[in-house]
Amino acid sequence: MTTPPTAPPAARPAHAPDPGAPDRIAAAGAALARALQRITVCALGPYQSAVIRIGFAATYLFFLLRELPHRHELYGPDSPWHWDLARRLTAGNDAFSVLLWSDSTLWFEAVYALTVLSAAALLLGWRTRTMSVLFMVGVLSVQNRSVFMGDGGDNVIHLMAIYLVLTRCAQVWSLDARRAARDAERGAAGLPTRRDVVGPVLWAVLGPVLLGATLMDGLGGTWWFPVLLWILWLSAAAWWAAERYAPHGQQRALLDVLANLTHNATLVVIMVEVCLIYATAGWYKIQGSRWQDGTALYYPLKLDYFTPWPALSDVLASSGLMVMVLTYATVVVQVAFPFTLFNRRIKNVLLVMMIGEHAGIALLLGLPFFSMAMIAADAVFLPTVFLVWLGGRASVLARLPLASRFRRGRKEPGGPGVPGARPAPDAAGPGGEGRSGTGEAPPHGTGGGHTLVG
């Protein structure tokens, strides 16, 4: 019996649509919607941005304090780079510096002190938005007063001081986050939120200063800098009005979305900036003959200016193999790092190597502030799990001395002192947070403590 031949399947017309195409388009649209929602609902990288804030504020604060005895010779009225020369230079490159508003010694001391205070406040995360603006003004003013002072770390601090203004870098590990957590606790308990007085006062004081500087043409020759300052000052008023009159309204939500978008875009810019620094440094090294033959590290180890520990430098320079390995490793790590960002394990290994490299530069070459600035910039790539663990360990270590003193001073029931005495209840109340300040942050999407007022 012969089986009838099976008819071949009908060919689909060439112009017929693919049945799976709508599904793929829908999946792509859903993924795009999720990504858009993520970058608008919350400020990404809260721990990384907090480390950047703490790192750069600490770096410049320590630098200013170290140079406190020599501040007049470096940036003040006794500087070899005279005030008239600085005025002439900034007139040509359109740079900004409030130190060039007057050559008075009193004015210099006031600006220097304000820069120190703003760096300390930014380090602690107190009124972060306002302090980040004052920190930026201080950094630009001091560095543009004597542009030939400092090292490569100054350029990184210069850029990061501008970027920090656009980030929500006080979501965790800041006094602003602790204040926002306390307000949230009061709201959950049905208590009214405490009225903010410091933020509006700072806004009212800085407004006339900004207006006077604009009218006197004291904000440099670039157009973007005064525009940035005015946008920040006006948006502070918008934040205050939204928080006071419509805390759950659409205006407040819109401001939160804009702030999150700005923060996330700035965080990407910081990442790109760090990759460009390492990529350009690595590729320029490749072109140098000393880096090609593996002897580049030997020469700075023999310069008196870069040998704070001569004995240690001599030990390292005496080993040709070690010099060659470190020289080649430096080039390989710097060139390869931007290409490893999408491989977490390799990226973390190279990140540890780069941080170790900068620690070695600080120790062997006597460039601590350059190394601190670069390590702070590298922190944008640190894993969140590691930063959370590090913050927890730091919190525990910071509380150990206080806890030990509390135990030594506490009177146990039946022991010496008042019979039956009991320790005072925890002032933090339920949960152990609030007044103790151990709580790290409000929810990331709330933006607590990060309004442009404070």
Side-chain angles (χ1 to χ4, degrees):
M1 185 174 180
T2 305
T3 304
T6 304
R12 189 180 56 179
H15 62 275
D18 185 2
D23 295 336
R24 289 195 294 268
I25 295 176
L32 181 61
R34 287 194 299 269
L36 184 61
Q37 182 182 18
R38 187 180 182 188
I39 63 176
T40 56
V41 168
C42 65
L44 303 177
Y47 292 94
Q48 288 80 359
S49 57
V51 171
I52 293 174
R53 167 181 58 84
I54 295 171
F56 281 101
T59 299
Y60 210 63
L61 175 63
F62 295 155
F63 172 77
L64 294 176
L65 293 179
R66 190 194 71 169
E67 302 299 345
L68 192 62
H70 314 290
R71 62 189 184 281
H72 285 206
E73 291 79 12
L74 291 176
Y75 303 104
D78 299 332
S79 172
W81 189 249
H82 196 261
W83 188 80
D84 293 332
L85 294 176
R87 289 273 296 182
R88 208 180 302 175
L89 178 63
T90 55
N93 61 11
D94 297 330
F96 161 78
S97 176
V98 299
L99 288 176
L100 300 180
W101 292 359
S102 172
D103 60 350
S104 169
T105 302
L106 181 61
W107 176 247
F108 168 77
E109 296 289 358
V111 173
Y112 199 91
L114 181 63
T115 307
V116 170
L117 293 176
S118 63
L122 186 63
L123 172 64
L124 298 175
W126 181 80
R127 304 289 167 176
T128 309
R129 184 63 64 195
T130 303
M131 292 303 116
S132 65
V133 176
L134 294 179
F135 178 73
M136 175 187 68
V137 171
V139 168
L140 298 182
S141 299
V142 173
Q143 291 187 354
N144 290 335
R145 169 61 179 85
S146 297
V147 294
F148 299 107
M149 298 294 176
D151 47 43
D154 290 351
N155 296 327
V156 180
I157 296 175
H158 191 108
L159 294 172
M160 294 301 173
I162 300 175
Y163 296 152
L164 280 174
V165 173
L166 303 174
T167 62
R168 309 184 83 171
C169 55
Q171 296 179 98
V172 297
W173 301 337
S174 67
L175 297 179
D176 287 345
R178 186 175 69 170
R179 186 177 70 251
R182 289 178 177 178
D183 291 340
E185 290 177 0
R186 290 177 62 88
L191 300 175
T193 304
R194 282 175 286 192
R195 187 174 180 180
D196 183 21
V197 178
V198 178
V201 169
L202 289 173
W203 180 83
V205 170
L206 295 177
V209 175
L210 180 59
L211 178 61
T214 304
L215 295 177
M216 293 187 301
D217 197 20
L219 297 179
T222 57
W223 64 268
W224 64 267
F225 189 69
V227 169
L228 173 64
L229 294 179
W230 277 109
I231 289 176
L232 292 172
W233 187 77
L234 293 175
S235 60
W239 272 104
W240 179 85
E243 289 280 0
R244 183 171 178 82
Y245 299 107
H248 304 291
Q250 295 182 355
Q251 297 84 355
R252 174 64 174 80
L254 177 61
L255 290 174
D256 215 24
V257 168
L258 293 177
N260 290 334
L261 285 173
T262 305
H263 167 91
N264 295 330
T266 306
L267 210 59
V268 173
V269 171
I270 292 175
M271 294 179 181
V272 173
E273 190 79 40
V274 175
C275 290
L276 287 176
I277 290 174
Y278 285 118
T280 54
W283 287 105
Y284 272 112
K285 286 182 175 66
I286 288 178
Q287 301 175 37
S289 59
R290 301 305 180 197
W291 292 96
Q292 293 175 7
D293 59 26
T295 62
L297 184 62
Y298 175 83
Y299 297 98
L301 293 175
K302 289 300 182 178
L303 295 175
D304 293 337
Y305 187 77
F306 292 107
T307 53
W309 311 97
L312 185 60
S313 299
D314 290 341
V315 170
L316 181 59
S318 62
S319 174
L321 178 61
M322 183 62 67
V323 169
M324 183 184 67
V325 169
L326 291 178
T327 301
Y328 286 149
T330 299
V331 177
V332 170
V333 168
Q334 291 183 351
V335 173
F337 179 74
F339 300 99
T340 64
L341 295 182
F342 297 101
N343 189 310
R344 183 176 301 178
R345 294 182 178 179
I346 299 178
K347 182 263 294 182
N348 290 338
V349 171
L350 294 185
L351 197 59
V352 171
M353 295 178 65
M354 288 194 302
I355 293 176
E357 172 193 340
H358 292 304
I361 290 175
L363 179 64
L364 295 173
L365 302 183
L367 297 173
F369 300 110
F370 167 77
S371 299
M372 289 179 64
M374 292 307 304
I375 291 174
D378 294 340
V380 72
F381 296 107
L382 288 175
T384 301
V385 175
F386 170 73
L387 292 177
V388 172
W389 173 85
L390 187 64
R393 297 300 303 171
S395 177
V396 171
L397 293 177
R399 294 168 58 189
L400 281 178
L402 180 62
S404 61
R405 288 196 299 269
F406 177 74
R407 286 194 297 268
R408 287 196 300 267
R410 186 174 60 181
K411 304 298 183 181
E412 297 292 343
V418 181
R422 295 184 179 183
D426 186 6
E433 296 184 1
R435 292 187 181 89
S436 65
T438 57
E440 288 183 339
H444 295 161
T446 62
H450 306 280
T451 65
L452 296 182
V453 173

